[in-house]
Amino acid sequence: KKDFENEIRLLMKLRHPNIVTIMGVSKDQAAKDYVLVMERMTRGSLIDCLTNPTSHMDHDTMLGIMKDVADGMAYLHNFKPAVTHNDLRAANILVDDNFQAKISDFGLSGKQRFTSSSSRWPWTAPEIFGGSPQSAKTDVYSYGVLLIEMYTRCKLTVSDMKLVIPKEAPTFAALLIRQCLHPNPAKRPTFAQIQDQISSECAKLKRSSSIVPARNVICAHLPAKMAEEIRSGVKPSSTSYKSLTLLMSDIVGYTELTEKLGPESITEML
């Protein structure tokens, strides 16, 4: 109990843009348990975003989330004393309105022994099953599995007892996944090295600081399927609706045009 309370105090000291802030702790006297009060993350978990067909998560968004998680994990590992997550997965990454990712549910299991479970094994580094303790490198392994979750929309595939790297993952992400899933922990990158790789990828894209990642106006206001087709450079397929409301900008004199042509002519023209 004392160790748990000390750990709670430690976690409440953590302050980072990519770590969910613990606002306070409440003790349930009846249940003899603790309840953590955290900041509200409007989009829920990363799983909620990945499995929601209306969530527009293009390469920019994915890269932004990868960076957010890597930044948060680097902070945890560099904290004094170091904090290991031990259960890094999409379910434990929360997302706000701007698709900024923040790590949650970390550290509390750090002093607990690993319990084998079929629901946890994909995220668990192979050395753990051999009796090795949790470490920074086991978190890196879990990060690799997290990237697979992102590019498969949480549909992990296994072949010959190994996780399959998705074809949807771009070359950069596929290479990073392979590095993180290396069977030898010593050959896995640190989160500081992962940060460097992501920064290099961002530099290649030459993203403008004035552009908000993956929240471009067009895709934010179109049906998910049509938005994805446009983003991919594919001609959008036709879609039928029972009713439709058109919002038109008047930058081309649309109002004056409708007055001259009439509704039937305008409808035919559209």
Short mmCIF file of all heavy atoms in Angstrom, two decimals, residues 84-132:
data_model
loop_
_atom_site.label_atom_id
_atom_site.label_comp_id
_atom_site.label_asym_id
_atom_site.label_seq_id
_atom_site.Cartn_x
_atom_site.Cartn_y
_atom_site.Cartn_z
N THR A 84 8.90 3.19 -16.45
CA THR A 84 8.59 2.35 -17.60
C THR A 84 7.08 2.16 -17.66
O THR A 84 6.41 2.14 -16.62
CB THR A 84 9.28 0.97 -17.52
OG1 THR A 84 8.95 0.34 -16.26
CG2 THR A 84 10.79 1.13 -17.62
N HIS A 85 6.56 2.04 -18.86
CA HIS A 85 5.11 1.95 -19.01
C HIS A 85 4.60 0.55 -18.73
O HIS A 85 3.67 0.36 -17.96
CB HIS A 85 4.71 2.37 -20.43
CG HIS A 85 3.24 2.58 -20.58
ND1 HIS A 85 2.33 1.56 -20.53
CD2 HIS A 85 2.52 3.72 -20.76
CE1 HIS A 85 1.11 2.05 -20.69
NE2 HIS A 85 1.21 3.36 -20.83
N ASN A 86 5.19 -0.43 -19.38
CA ASN A 86 4.87 -1.85 -19.20
C ASN A 86 3.55 -2.31 -19.82
O ASN A 86 3.22 -3.49 -19.76
CB ASN A 86 4.85 -2.23 -17.70
CG ASN A 86 6.14 -1.87 -17.00
OD1 ASN A 86 7.22 -1.92 -17.61
ND2 ASN A 86 6.07 -1.50 -15.74
N ASP A 87 2.81 -1.40 -20.43
CA ASP A 87 1.56 -1.81 -21.09
C ASP A 87 1.21 -0.81 -22.20
O ASP A 87 0.08 -0.35 -22.30
CB ASP A 87 0.43 -1.91 -20.08
CG ASP A 87 -0.77 -2.70 -20.63
OD1 ASP A 87 -0.59 -3.43 -21.63
OD2 ASP A 87 -1.86 -2.58 -20.07
N LEU A 88 2.20 -0.49 -23.01
CA LEU A 88 2.01 0.49 -24.08
C LEU A 88 1.24 -0.13 -25.23
O LEU A 88 1.67 -1.10 -25.83
CB LEU A 88 3.37 0.99 -24.57
CG LEU A 88 3.37 2.15 -25.57
CD1 LEU A 88 2.73 3.39 -24.96
CD2 LEU A 88 4.80 2.45 -26.02
N ARG A 89 0.10 0.44 -25.53
CA ARG A 89 -0.76 -0.04 -26.61
C ARG A 89 -1.76 1.05 -26.97
O ARG A 89 -1.89 2.04 -26.25
CB ARG A 89 -1.48 -1.33 -26.20
CG ARG A 89 -2.39 -1.15 -25.00
CD ARG A 89 -3.25 -2.37 -24.75
NE ARG A 89 -2.55 -3.40 -24.01
CZ ARG A 89 -3.06 -4.61 -23.81
NH1 ARG A 89 -4.23 -4.93 -24.31
NH2 ARG A 89 -2.40 -5.50 -23.10
N ALA A 90 -2.49 0.85 -28.07
CA ALA A 90 -3.42 1.88 -28.54
C ALA A 90 -4.50 2.19 -27.50
O ALA A 90 -4.96 3.33 -27.40
CB ALA A 90 -4.07 1.43 -29.85
N ALA A 91 -4.89 1.18 -26.72
CA ALA A 91 -5.93 1.38 -25.71
C ALA A 91 -5.48 2.35 -24.62
O ALA A 91 -6.31 2.97 -23.95
CB ALA A 91 -6.31 0.04 -25.08
N ASN A 92 -4.16 2.48 -24.45
CA ASN A 92 -3.63 3.34 -23.39
C ASN A 92 -3.06 4.66 -23.92
O ASN A 92 -2.32 5.34 -23.21
CB ASN A 92 -2.56 2.59 -22.60
CG ASN A 92 -3.15 1.44 -21.79
OD1 ASN A 92 -4.31 1.50 -21.39
ND2 ASN A 92 -2.37 0.40 -21.56
N ILE A 93 -3.40 4.98 -25.16
CA ILE A 93 -3.05 6.27 -25.73
C ILE A 93 -4.36 7.05 -25.91
O ILE A 93 -5.27 6.58 -26.58
CB ILE A 93 -2.35 6.12 -27.10
CG1 ILE A 93 -1.10 5.24 -26.97
CG2 ILE A 93 -1.99 7.50 -27.65
CD1 ILE A 93 -0.05 5.76 -26.03
N LEU A 94 -4.44 8.21 -25.30
CA LEU A 94 -5.65 9.03 -25.41
C LEU A 94 -5.41 10.18 -26.38
O LEU A 94 -4.28 10.63 -26.55
CB LEU A 94 -6.05 9.56 -24.03
CG LEU A 94 -6.28 8.49 -22.95
CD1 LEU A 94 -6.76 9.13 -21.65
CD2 LEU A 94 -7.29 7.44 -23.42
N VAL A 95 -6.49 10.63 -27.02
CA VAL A 95 -6.38 11.62 -28.10
C VAL A 95 -7.35 12.78 -27.85
O VAL A 95 -8.50 12.56 -27.48
CB VAL A 95 -6.69 10.97 -29.46
CG1 VAL A 95 -6.49 11.95 -30.60
CG2 VAL A 95 -5.81 9.72 -29.67
N ASP A 96 -6.84 14.01 -28.07
CA ASP A 96 -7.71 15.17 -27.87
C ASP A 96 -8.32 15.63 -29.19
O ASP A 96 -8.15 14.98 -30.23
CB ASP A 96 -6.95 16.30 -27.16
CG ASP A 96 -5.85 16.92 -28.03
OD1 ASP A 96 -5.79 16.62 -29.25
OD2 ASP A 96 -5.07 17.71 -27.50
N ASP A 97 -9.01 16.75 -29.17
CA ASP A 97 -9.70 17.26 -30.36
C ASP A 97 -8.76 17.51 -31.53
O ASP A 97 -9.14 17.37 -32.69
CB ASP A 97 -10.43 18.57 -30.02
CG ASP A 97 -11.88 18.32 -29.63
OD1 ASP A 97 -12.41 17.25 -29.99
OD2 ASP A 97 -12.47 19.19 -28.97
N ASN A 98 -7.52 17.89 -31.24
CA ASN A 98 -6.55 18.21 -32.29
C ASN A 98 -5.69 17.02 -32.69
O ASN A 98 -4.65 17.19 -33.32
CB ASN A 98 -5.66 19.36 -31.82
CG ASN A 98 -6.43 20.65 -31.62
OD1 ASN A 98 -7.30 20.98 -32.42
ND2 ASN A 98 -6.14 21.35 -30.54
N PHE A 99 -6.12 15.83 -32.31
CA PHE A 99 -5.38 14.60 -32.58
C PHE A 99 -4.00 14.58 -31.92
O PHE A 99 -3.09 13.92 -32.40
CB PHE A 99 -5.25 14.34 -34.09
CG PHE A 99 -6.49 13.75 -34.70
CD1 PHE A 99 -7.40 14.57 -35.35
CD2 PHE A 99 -6.74 12.40 -34.64
CE1 PHE A 99 -8.55 14.04 -35.91
CE2 PHE A 99 -7.89 11.86 -35.19
CZ PHE A 99 -8.80 12.68 -35.83
N GLN A 100 -3.87 15.32 -30.84
CA GLN A 100 -2.63 15.21 -30.06
C GLN A 100 -2.77 13.99 -29.16
O GLN A 100 -3.78 13.82 -28.47
CB GLN A 100 -2.38 16.45 -29.20
CG GLN A 100 -1.08 16.36 -28.41
CD GLN A 100 -0.83 17.60 -27.55
OE1 GLN A 100 -1.76 18.28 -27.14
NE2 GLN A 100 0.43 17.88 -27.29
N ALA A 101 -1.75 13.14 -29.17
CA ALA A 101 -1.79 11.90 -28.39
C ALA A 101 -1.10 12.08 -27.05
O ALA A 101 -0.07 12.75 -26.95
CB ALA A 101 -1.13 10.77 -29.18
N LYS A 102 -1.68 11.47 -26.02
CA LYS A 102 -1.10 11.51 -24.69
C LYS A 102 -1.13 10.11 -24.07
O LYS A 102 -2.11 9.38 -24.21
CB LYS A 102 -1.85 12.50 -23.80
CG LYS A 102 -1.83 13.93 -24.32
CD LYS A 102 -2.35 14.92 -23.28
CE LYS A 102 -2.29 16.34 -23.81
NZ LYS A 102 -2.61 17.34 -22.75
N ILE A 103 -0.05 9.77 -23.40
CA ILE A 103 0.10 8.44 -22.82
C ILE A 103 -0.61 8.38 -21.48
O ILE A 103 -0.50 9.29 -20.66
CB ILE A 103 1.59 8.09 -22.64
CG1 ILE A 103 2.32 8.15 -23.99
CG2 ILE A 103 1.76 6.72 -22.02
CD1 ILE A 103 3.83 8.14 -23.88
N SER A 104 -1.32 7.28 -21.25
CA SER A 104 -2.00 7.08 -19.96
C SER A 104 -1.71 5.67 -19.44
O SER A 104 -1.06 4.87 -20.12
CB SER A 104 -3.52 7.27 -20.13
OG SER A 104 -4.06 6.22 -20.93
N ASP A 105 -2.21 5.39 -18.25
CA ASP A 105 -2.08 4.06 -17.63
C ASP A 105 -0.64 3.58 -17.59
O ASP A 105 -0.34 2.44 -17.96
CB ASP A 105 -2.95 3.03 -18.36
CG ASP A 105 -4.43 3.32 -18.16
OD1 ASP A 105 -4.74 4.12 -17.27
OD2 ASP A 105 -5.25 2.76 -18.90
N PHE A 106 0.26 4.42 -17.15
CA PHE A 106 1.67 4.04 -17.11
C PHE A 106 2.15 3.92 -15.66
O PHE A 106 1.58 4.51 -14.76
CB PHE A 106 2.53 5.08 -17.83
CG PHE A 106 2.19 6.49 -17.46
CD1 PHE A 106 2.72 7.08 -16.34
CD2 PHE A 106 1.29 7.20 -18.22
CE1 PHE A 106 2.37 8.37 -15.99
CE2 PHE A 106 0.94 8.50 -17.88
CZ PHE A 106 1.48 9.08 -16.75
N GLY A 107 3.19 3.12 -15.48
CA GLY A 107 3.88 3.08 -14.20
C GLY A 107 3.22 2.29 -13.10
O GLY A 107 3.89 1.70 -12.26
N LEU A 108 1.89 2.26 -13.05
CA LEU A 108 1.21 1.63 -11.92
C LEU A 108 1.46 0.15 -11.82
O LEU A 108 1.32 -0.44 -10.76
CB LEU A 108 -0.30 1.89 -12.01
CG LEU A 108 -0.71 3.36 -11.89
CD1 LEU A 108 -2.20 3.49 -12.06
CD2 LEU A 108 -0.27 3.93 -10.56
N SER A 109 1.84 -0.49 -12.93
CA SER A 109 2.11 -1.93 -12.89
C SER A 109 3.60 -2.21 -12.82
O SER A 109 4.03 -3.34 -12.93
CB SER A 109 1.51 -2.60 -14.13
OG SER A 109 2.09 -2.04 -15.30
N GLY A 110 4.39 -1.17 -12.62
CA GLY A 110 5.85 -1.33 -12.68
C GLY A 110 6.41 -2.25 -11.64
O GLY A 110 7.45 -2.90 -11.85
N LYS A 111 5.77 -2.35 -10.47
CA LYS A 111 6.29 -3.21 -9.40
C LYS A 111 5.59 -4.56 -9.36
O LYS A 111 5.81 -5.37 -8.49
CB LYS A 111 6.14 -2.50 -8.06
CG LYS A 111 7.01 -1.24 -7.94
CD LYS A 111 6.87 -0.62 -6.57
CE LYS A 111 7.81 0.57 -6.42
NZ LYS A 111 7.50 1.66 -7.34
N GLN A 112 4.67 -4.77 -10.32
CA GLN A 112 3.95 -6.04 -10.35
C GLN A 112 4.65 -7.03 -11.26
O GLN A 112 5.30 -6.66 -12.23
CB GLN A 112 2.51 -5.82 -10.85
CG GLN A 112 1.71 -4.88 -9.97
CD GLN A 112 0.34 -4.61 -10.55
OE1 GLN A 112 0.01 -5.09 -11.63
NE2 GLN A 112 -0.45 -3.83 -9.85
N ARG A 113 4.52 -8.28 -10.95
CA ARG A 113 5.08 -9.32 -11.81
C ARG A 113 4.23 -9.45 -13.07
O ARG A 113 3.02 -9.26 -13.05
CB ARG A 113 5.11 -10.66 -11.08
CG ARG A 113 6.21 -10.78 -10.05
CD ARG A 113 6.27 -12.21 -9.53
NE ARG A 113 7.43 -12.44 -8.69
CZ ARG A 113 7.74 -13.64 -8.19
NH1 ARG A 113 6.97 -14.68 -8.45
NH2 ARG A 113 8.80 -13.77 -7.42
N PHE A 114 4.92 -9.81 -14.14
CA PHE A 114 4.20 -10.01 -15.39
C PHE A 114 3.36 -11.27 -15.30
O PHE A 114 3.81 -12.32 -14.84
CB PHE A 114 5.18 -10.14 -16.55
CG PHE A 114 4.52 -10.60 -17.83
CD1 PHE A 114 3.71 -9.73 -18.54
CD2 PHE A 114 4.67 -11.90 -18.28
CE1 PHE A 114 3.09 -10.14 -19.71
CE2 PHE A 114 4.05 -12.31 -19.44
CZ PHE A 114 3.27 -11.44 -20.15
N THR A 115 2.11 -11.16 -15.70
CA THR A 115 1.21 -12.31 -15.72
C THR A 115 0.90 -12.65 -17.16
O THR A 115 0.40 -11.82 -17.91
CB THR A 115 -0.10 -11.99 -14.97
OG1 THR A 115 0.21 -11.61 -13.63
CG2 THR A 115 -1.01 -13.21 -14.94
N SER A 116 1.20 -13.88 -17.55
CA SER A 116 0.95 -14.30 -18.93
C SER A 116 -0.53 -14.23 -19.24
O SER A 116 -1.37 -14.66 -18.47
CB SER A 116 1.46 -15.74 -19.13
OG SER A 116 1.20 -16.15 -20.45
N SER A 117 -0.86 -13.65 -20.36
CA SER A 117 -2.25 -13.52 -20.77
C SER A 117 -2.32 -13.48 -22.29
O SER A 117 -1.53 -12.81 -22.93
CB SER A 117 -2.86 -12.24 -20.18
OG SER A 117 -4.11 -11.98 -20.76
N SER A 118 -3.29 -14.20 -22.84
CA SER A 118 -3.42 -14.23 -24.29
C SER A 118 -3.79 -12.85 -24.84
O SER A 118 -3.51 -12.54 -25.99
CB SER A 118 -4.52 -15.24 -24.69
OG SER A 118 -5.77 -14.89 -24.10
N SER A 119 -4.40 -12.01 -24.00
CA SER A 119 -4.79 -10.67 -24.46
C SER A 119 -3.62 -9.70 -24.46
O SER A 119 -3.69 -8.65 -25.08
CB SER A 119 -5.92 -10.13 -23.58
OG SER A 119 -5.46 -9.95 -22.26
N ARG A 120 -2.52 -10.04 -23.76
CA ARG A 120 -1.39 -9.12 -23.66
C ARG A 120 -0.19 -9.53 -24.50
O ARG A 120 0.69 -8.71 -24.73
CB ARG A 120 -0.94 -9.01 -22.18
CG ARG A 120 -1.86 -8.20 -21.31
CD ARG A 120 -1.23 -7.94 -19.95
NE ARG A 120 0.02 -7.19 -20.07
CZ ARG A 120 0.76 -6.84 -19.03
NH1 ARG A 120 0.39 -7.16 -17.81
NH2 ARG A 120 1.90 -6.16 -19.21
N TRP A 121 -0.16 -10.76 -24.96
CA TRP A 121 1.08 -11.26 -25.55
C TRP A 121 1.54 -10.49 -26.79
O TRP A 121 2.76 -10.31 -26.98
CB TRP A 121 0.99 -12.76 -25.87
CG TRP A 121 0.31 -13.11 -27.16
CD1 TRP A 121 -0.98 -13.52 -27.32
CD2 TRP A 121 0.88 -13.08 -28.47
NE1 TRP A 121 -1.25 -13.73 -28.64
CE2 TRP A 121 -0.13 -13.48 -29.37
CE3 TRP A 121 2.14 -12.76 -28.97
CZ2 TRP A 121 0.09 -13.55 -30.74
CZ3 TRP A 121 2.36 -12.83 -30.34
CH2 TRP A 121 1.34 -13.24 -31.21
N PRO A 122 0.66 -9.99 -27.66
CA PRO A 122 1.21 -9.30 -28.85
C PRO A 122 2.09 -8.11 -28.50
O PRO A 122 3.03 -7.80 -29.23
CB PRO A 122 -0.05 -8.87 -29.61
CG PRO A 122 -1.13 -9.78 -29.13
CD PRO A 122 -0.81 -10.03 -27.71
N TRP A 123 1.79 -7.44 -27.40
CA TRP A 123 2.55 -6.24 -27.01
C TRP A 123 3.73 -6.57 -26.09
O TRP A 123 4.49 -5.68 -25.73
CB TRP A 123 1.63 -5.24 -26.30
CG TRP A 123 0.53 -4.73 -27.17
CD1 TRP A 123 0.55 -3.62 -27.96
CD2 TRP A 123 -0.76 -5.31 -27.36
NE1 TRP A 123 -0.64 -3.47 -28.62
CE2 TRP A 123 -1.48 -4.49 -28.27
CE3 TRP A 123 -1.41 -6.44 -26.83
CZ2 TRP A 123 -2.78 -4.77 -28.67
CZ3 TRP A 123 -2.69 -6.71 -27.23
CH2 TRP A 123 -3.38 -5.89 -28.15
N THR A 124 3.87 -7.84 -25.74
CA THR A 124 4.89 -8.23 -24.77
C THR A 124 6.15 -8.70 -25.47
O THR A 124 6.12 -9.60 -26.32
CB THR A 124 4.35 -9.37 -23.87
OG1 THR A 124 3.13 -8.93 -23.25
CG2 THR A 124 5.36 -9.72 -22.79
N ALA A 125 7.27 -8.11 -25.11
CA ALA A 125 8.56 -8.49 -25.70
C ALA A 125 8.88 -9.95 -25.39
O ALA A 125 8.58 -10.44 -24.30
CB ALA A 125 9.67 -7.59 -25.15
N PRO A 126 9.49 -10.67 -26.35
CA PRO A 126 9.74 -12.10 -26.17
C PRO A 126 10.60 -12.44 -24.95
O PRO A 126 10.42 -13.49 -24.34
CB PRO A 126 10.43 -12.51 -27.48
CG PRO A 126 10.92 -11.23 -28.08
CD PRO A 126 9.95 -10.19 -27.67
N GLU A 127 11.51 -11.54 -24.57
CA GLU A 127 12.38 -11.86 -23.43
C GLU A 127 11.61 -11.92 -22.11
O GLU A 127 12.06 -12.57 -21.15
CB GLU A 127 13.52 -10.84 -23.32
CG GLU A 127 13.11 -9.42 -23.05
CD GLU A 127 12.90 -8.60 -24.30
OE1 GLU A 127 12.69 -9.22 -25.38
OE2 GLU A 127 12.94 -7.36 -24.22
N ILE A 128 10.44 -11.26 -22.07
CA ILE A 128 9.62 -11.30 -20.85
C ILE A 128 9.15 -12.72 -20.57
O ILE A 128 9.13 -13.18 -19.43
CB ILE A 128 8.41 -10.36 -20.98
CG1 ILE A 128 8.88 -8.91 -21.12
CG2 ILE A 128 7.48 -10.49 -19.78
CD1 ILE A 128 9.63 -8.38 -19.93
N PHE A 129 8.81 -13.43 -21.64
CA PHE A 129 8.35 -14.82 -21.47
C PHE A 129 9.49 -15.71 -20.99
O PHE A 129 9.25 -16.80 -20.46
CB PHE A 129 7.78 -15.35 -22.78
CG PHE A 129 6.51 -14.66 -23.20
CD1 PHE A 129 6.53 -13.70 -24.20
CD2 PHE A 129 5.30 -14.95 -22.59
CE1 PHE A 129 5.37 -13.04 -24.59
CE2 PHE A 129 4.14 -14.30 -22.97
CZ PHE A 129 4.17 -13.34 -23.97
N GLY A 130 10.73 -15.27 -21.19
CA GLY A 130 11.88 -16.04 -20.72
C GLY A 130 12.29 -15.68 -19.31
O GLY A 130 13.30 -16.20 -18.81
N GLY A 131 11.54 -14.78 -18.68
CA GLY A 131 11.82 -14.45 -17.30
C GLY A 131 12.56 -13.13 -17.09
O GLY A 131 12.85 -12.76 -15.95
N SER A 132 12.88 -12.42 -18.17
CA SER A 132 13.58 -11.15 -18.03
C SER A 132 12.62 -10.08 -17.49
O SER A 132 11.41 -10.15 -17.74
CB SER A 132 14.16 -10.69 -19.38
OG SER A 132 15.12 -11.60 -19.84
#
